[in-house]
Amino acid sequence: GTDMLFWVSRFLAALSAHARKSPKPALQCFVFFDEADCYLPATRKPVTKEPMENGFKRFRSAGVGIGLGTQSPGDIDYKSKDSITTWLVGRVSEPTALEKLKKVLGSTVDRLPRLTTGSFAMKTETRTVGRFQATLPVIMPVQLEESEIVRLAAQR
């Protein structure tokens, strides 16, 4: 809810401060946000929207990568879609969602309903559209105990 959105906005502010103080030409960290349509919705302006949009503009040149995951890529704010440089889109069959993605993926949306598990349509910054097949999970989710998070943070 609101507490989570506030926490994410503060995290983005801290990440932005880090990027300003310690820019690197190579990737120094990567942050992944699941359910990204909650942070960048097309119809609302939660406290996460502006800091995330600012991050799209600044993080890349500082070596900070952002990954967004959502089951509703068409519901991400259209202005933010222009800042996303690589898209991996899995099977989508709902006509309204396909129509929303047409601006981003062009005629490739016609392939989306036929994709199988682990297959994605891929669009990169250079407008090259291809197919990506994942053989392993992209991210291995691991739930850490709070004490382990505190221990790891203290090592920093």
Side-chain angles (χ1 to χ4, degrees), residues 19-150:
R20 270 193 313 278
K21 290 178 187 172
S22 305
K24 302 270 187 296
L27 184 66
Q28 60 178 317
C29 73
F30 182 83
V31 182
F32 183 82
F33 295 92
D34 197 9
E35 304 301 337
D37 52 307
C38 294
Y39 310 117
L40 292 165
T43 58
R44 294 178 291 109
K45 191 172 181 183
V47 296
T48 52
K49 195 168 190 175
E50 188 175 319
M52 193 164 283
E53 288 171 339
N54 289 337
F56 287 153
K57 296 173 190 167
R58 294 182 176 83
F59 289 167
R60 184 175 177 190
S61 64
V64 177
I66 296 179
L68 305 175
T70 180
Q71 292 185 22
S72 307
D75 292 341
I76 292 176
D77 184 75
Y78 73 94
K79 290 179 283 183
S80 297
K81 289 177 188 174
D82 293 337
S83 299
I84 298 170
T85 57
T86 302
W87 288 77
L88 294 170
V89 181
R91 186 166 51 98
V92 176
S93 57
E94 210 280 315
T96 306
L98 291 168
E99 190 59 39
K100 289 178 180 179
L101 289 169
K102 199 168 251 181
K103 181 181 178 202
V104 173
L105 296 175
S107 62
T108 302
V109 297
D110 298 338
R111 284 194 248 157
L112 296 181
R114 296 187 305 276
L115 291 175
T116 58
T117 301
S119 295
F120 301 88
M122 185 170 89
K123 177 193 169 282
T124 65
E125 190 173 21
T126 58
R127 298 267 188 224
T128 305
V129 177
R131 187 169 174 263
F132 176 82
Q133 180 68 42
T135 55
L136 294 172
V138 176
I139 295 175
M140 298 296 286
V142 177
Q143 182 66 45
L144 299 176
E145 295 292 327
E146 188 174 337
S147 59
E148 179 67 2
I149 295 169
V150 170

